[in-house]
Amino acid sequence: LVLLAAYVGYLGLGAAVLQALERPAEVQAAQHLLQEHWELLGNHTCLQGPALQRLIEGIIQAYKSGITLQGNTTSLGRWDYSGSFFFSISAITTIGYGNLSPSTAVGRIFCIVFALFGIPLNLVLLNEIGHLMLLGVQHCSRRLEEVFHWQNKVSFLMKTCALVTGLLLFLLLPPLLFSDKEGWSYEEGFYYSFITLSTIGFGDYVIGMNPDRTYPSWYKNVISLWILFGMAWLALVIKFCINILE
């Protein structure tokens, strides 16, 4: 009962803080959108309100499907092979950004079957990667004990080095790459890194989706590997946090 109360209380605290931080921005954005809507109709009297609404809804739906307007043409590319491969990873890792999803009935059925077998396969792989990481840390600890005859400090030192190395490789350095390739700020890149590796996957920031940018062929492949190893590392950190809480 105490644990349940703490859980609900933690959620309630988070909801209150988020409401205080985000609600004013939401109200301001809604007012700005409504003002632009009426200004557009006022400046272009030939536009009909219902027709404009249908156009806006069509643009939103097309954007969700990965299609954007560029002058008199449309941009495609989210469902090419690299985009489909990245979607497959986001599906079986349960990140589920939500910015892209199958639109055909056959595609949705395949996605269900694909995820049904892919999610267990992904968990097995992550478990093996995490196990190898632990073995590497333990091996280094034994080597240090043999060379320097450290007994009490080795375990703490290796755990600290593993934590710092993981922070650099998976959370602190990747935002620099995202700043270069996506044009995000460092804070946005760091936010995307944690939201992705923790499998929260809001979908407000997703790599390789800007039609105005040209991405190298290796980009999504490298990010896919980063996701796999980063999730395994963060899972170990979360497991450590669970042990502390318990």
Side-chain angles (χ1 to χ4, degrees), residues 17 64 66 69 76 90 96 113-114 154 157 165 176 185 198:
V17 172
K64 289 180 179 179
L69 284 172
L76 302 172
S90 69
V113 177
F114 181 74
V154 170
L157 177 63
T165 302
L176 299 177
S185 66
S198 61

Side-chain angles (χ1 to χ4, degrees), residues 9-91:
Y10 191 76
L11 291 176
L13 175 63
V17 172
L18 287 171
Q19 181 184 24
L21 293 175
E22 298 297 329
R23 183 66 175 178
E26 179 189 34
V27 172
Q28 184 179 1
Q31 292 175 345
H32 181 68
L33 177 62
L34 188 60
Q35 180 181 356
E36 287 193 337
H37 174 77
W38 288 115
E39 287 180 355
L40 181 63
L41 290 177
N43 294 332
H44 303 277
T45 55
C46 59
L47 291 174
Q48 299 293 325
L52 178 61
Q53 185 66 28
R54 287 194 298 271
L55 175 62
I56 293 174
E57 292 175 355
I59 292 174
I60 293 174
Q61 188 61 39
Y63 182 77
K64 289 180 179 179
S65 301
I67 303 171
T68 57
L69 284 172
Q70 291 182 319
N72 294 324
T73 62
T74 55
S75 67
L76 302 172
R78 292 195 181 185
W79 284 116
D80 58 9
Y81 187 80
S82 62
S84 301
F85 186 85
F86 192 72
F87 171 80
S88 299
I89 289 180
S90 69

Side-chain angles (χ1 to χ4, degrees), residues 89-167:
I89 289 180
S90 69
I92 66 172
T93 56
T94 70
I95 296 173
Y97 290 114
N99 70 310
L100 189 62
S101 59
S103 59
T104 64
V106 177
R108 290 167 181 164
I109 293 173
F110 173 77
C111 189
I112 293 172
V113 177
F114 181 74
L116 183 63
F117 292 95
I119 291 173
L121 177 62
N122 176 72
L123 292 176
V124 170
L125 177 62
L126 291 182
N127 184 58
E128 288 299 318
I129 293 175
H131 183 64
L132 288 176
M133 288 180 175
L134 285 177
L135 287 179
V137 172
Q138 293 171 357
H139 176 73
C140 291
S141 297
R142 287 193 297 267
R143 293 293 297 172
L144 288 175
E145 287 179 356
E146 293 173 359
V147 174
F148 297 101
H149 304 288
W150 293 342
Q151 297 296 328
N152 299 324
K153 298 180 179 179
V154 170
S155 178
F156 175 77
L157 177 63
M158 290 309 305
K159 288 179 180 178
T160 302
C161 290
L163 178 63
V164 172
T165 302
L167 282 173

Side-chain angles (χ1 to χ4, degrees), residues 3 10 238-246:
L3 181 60
Y10 191 76
I238 292 175
K239 184 178 180 181
F240 177 72
C241 294
I242 291 173
N243 293 333
I244 293 177
L245 288 175
E246 289 181 341

Side-chain angles (χ1 to χ4, degrees), residues 148-197:
F148 297 101
H149 304 288
W150 293 342
Q151 297 296 328
N152 299 324
K153 298 180 179 179
V154 170
S155 178
F156 175 77
L157 177 63
M158 290 309 305
K159 288 179 180 178
T160 302
C161 290
L163 178 63
V164 172
T165 302
L167 282 173
L168 286 173
L169 291 178
F170 302 121
L171 288 178
L172 297 180
L173 293 180
L176 299 177
L177 176 63
F178 300 142
S179 297
D180 178 57
K181 300 302 180 183
E182 304 290 342
W184 299 341
S185 66
Y186 185 86
E187 177 269 328
E188 291 171 328
F190 183 83
Y191 167 80
Y192 166 78
S193 299
F194 181 81
I195 293 300
T196 294
L197 298 184

Side-chain angles (χ1 to χ4, degrees), residues 224-235:
S224 298
L225 290 175
W226 166 75
I227 289 175
L228 284 177
F229 287 91
M231 284 179 60
W233 171 81
L234 191 59

